[in-house]
Amino acid sequence: MDIDIILSQVEEEIKNINSPEGLEQFRLKYLGRKGVVAQLTSTIPTLPNQEKAVFGQKVNALKGKILSLLKEKQGAVVSGKGVSQEPYVDIGMPGIAQEIGHLHPLTQITEEICSIFNRIGFSIVEGPEIETEQNNFTGLNIPLEHPSREAFDTFYLKDYPKMLLRSHTSPVQVRAMKTHKPPLAIVVPGKVYRPDAVDASHSFMFHQVEGFMVDKGIQFSDLKGILELFARTIFNSDIKMRFRPHFFPFTEPSAEVDISCIICKGKGCSVCGRKGWLEILGAGMIHPNVFKHVGIDSGKYTGFAFGMGVERIAMLKYGINDIRLFFENDVRFLRQF
Ligand code: DAH
């Protein structure tokens, strides 16, 4: 074989190599144990004596050339210079930063509400989202004929024993009072469900925080003081508060609680419907029938309870006008919190 032809073939081949693997294949092909150079060397003894020396020198020169080409190319492949197609790792390049998420605004507000009560001695307790009819209604003194028990106001799961998706967090009052003796001061955050058509102010799933306190001598004034502290902490310190008489089966007396509108400061605007007041929660003194159901002596103990919608508090606090924004997972909305 003509060594000059081999040499030009070698020079052509090495140009197209651009990976360490390709380079190794090239090395084996020419310098391996059964490679081209070895084969050429093995033919020397068969040559006529006068040609041996010249041919041997040519083979040596070829080997030297291949080695120097290899060395040169190795440097290029490792540093990446002159190698176009093959990716290589540039350890000096800045990394791709991971986006760091944060808590959902509803989680943030829930934690804020609970921590205000927690700081003044309330424990935080959770209950199941699948409840019995007993805990969701009967134990809370909600009579059999009450409209909230209708299938269009509650998601029923199973008939006997009747199981449902809780429609409020109040059943955790029943659970906690059955298993723990007073004094009790508890807040209950969680999801609740109602078969409402979804619109700007309704969702079939939303969040509530329930709260209650039971001990000897608890009075309506305790409820007023604690709720006022709560509202002034979560909104601002100069809001006014009012209690409007209302009806809930599980409290007597009951009230709906309003704060002076945080937008217009009570003057009347579109957010408060020109009333100057915003309803934020329901509350009252725990009904003796609720105590009776859980075996607490209502002659000895009294207590208050309240319940609020987390979405409503968040919407008022941040001026959000559509509840659906909380559940659409649009990062343009979520990033603002
Ligand atoms: N459970 C009521 C609801 O979902 C809210 C509520 C009102 C809870 C008055 C209370 C209360 O504990 O005393 O509409």
Side-chain angles (χ1 to χ4, degrees), residues 182-185 212-223 226 284-286 291 300-305:
L184 291 171
F212 58 98
M213 184 181 266
V214 182
D215 200 357
K216 288 175 186 152
I218 299 286
Q219 301 176 11
F220 204 93
S221 54
D222 298 313
L223 172 66
I226 282 175
M285 299 303 289
I286 297 174
F291 281 141
K300 220 164 129 188
Y301 293 101
T302 51
F304 65 73

Side-chain angles (χ1 to χ4, degrees), residues 101-330:
H102 62 71
L103 293 176
H104 190 277
L106 290 176
T107 310
Q108 291 182 40
I109 284 280
T110 305
E111 288 187 354
E112 198 176 332
I113 295 170
C114 289
S115 96
I116 293 171
F117 289 103
N118 193 229
R119 269 176 280 170
I120 53 171
F122 283 72
S123 305
I124 300 166
V125 170
E126 289 180 302
E129 289 165 33
I130 293 178
E131 257 302 358
T132 60
E133 192 184 31
Q134 267 290 319
N135 290 341
N136 198 78
F137 294 123
T138 318
L140 289 165
N141 195 38
I142 301 177
L144 273 175
E145 66 282 5
H146 196 277
S148 66
R149 290 203 186 213
E150 298 282 348
F152 50 79
D153 275 318
T154 300
F155 285 112
Y156 283 93
L157 299 172
K158 236 173 73 188
D159 266 349
Y160 297 106
K162 268 204 173 145
M163 300 295 283
L164 45 80
L165 293 179
R166 66 178 178 193
S167 56
H168 50 176
T169 42
S170 307
V172 187
Q173 280 188 41
V174 179
R175 288 179 174 269
M177 286 195 271
K178 267 189 183 158
T179 49
H180 294 80
K181 290 199 164 14
L184 291 171
I186 288 174
V187 279
V188 182
K191 291 186 167 67
V192 302
Y193 301 84
R194 291 179 197 176
D196 282 330
V198 175
D199 63 24
S201 51
H202 293 86
S203 167
F204 51 83
M205 184 282 296
F206 57 101
H207 299 75
Q208 286 187 334
V209 173
E210 183 84 11
F212 58 98
M213 184 181 266
V214 182
D215 200 357
K216 288 175 186 152
I218 299 286
Q219 301 176 11
F220 204 93
S221 54
D222 298 313
L223 172 66
K224 285 188 81 173
I226 282 175
L227 288 183
E228 202 162 294
L229 171 83
F230 160 73
R232 291 195 168 162
T233 312
I234 198 135
F235 295 109
N236 62 59
S237 53
D238 48 54
I239 53 140
K240 292 197 193 62
M241 208 167 194
R242 76 173 182 189
F243 286 65
R244 266 182 298 110
H246 196 73
F247 173 78
F248 295 106
F250 32 90
T251 42
E252 180 60 33
S254 305
E256 272 188 339
V257 178
D258 300 339
I259 55 165
S260 51
C261 180
I262 47 181
I263 310 291
C264 64
K265 311 234 176 317
K267 289 190 199 82
C269 67
S270 63
V271 174
C272 58
R274 325 250 156 248
K275 291 191 216 99
W277 295 95
L278 298 165
E279 184 209 320
I280 57 160
L281 52 84
M285 299 303 289
I286 297 174
H287 197 289
N289 286 351
V290 174
F291 281 141
K292 196 167 154 193
H293 184 87
V294 295
I296 289 179
D297 181 355
S298 62
K300 220 164 129 188
Y301 293 101
T302 51
F304 65 73
F306 58 86
M308 68 186 90
V310 176
E311 283 79 358
R312 178 155 178 85
I313 303 281
M315 287 166 84
L316 292 175
K317 188 171 162 89
Y318 296 121
I320 297 162
N321 59 10
D322 196 322
I323 195 172
R324 290 169 288 200
L325 286 164
F326 289 118
F327 306 119
E328 282 166 352
N329 266 340
D330 186 333

Side-chain angles (χ1 to χ4, degrees), residues 19-38:
S19 70
E21 295 78 27
L23 213 55
E24 177 60 7
Q25 263 175 22
F26 171 88
R27 190 188 66 81
L28 286 173
K29 178 173 171 186
Y30 291 98
L31 302 179
R33 226 159 32 91
K34 293 180 182 162
V36 174
V37 172

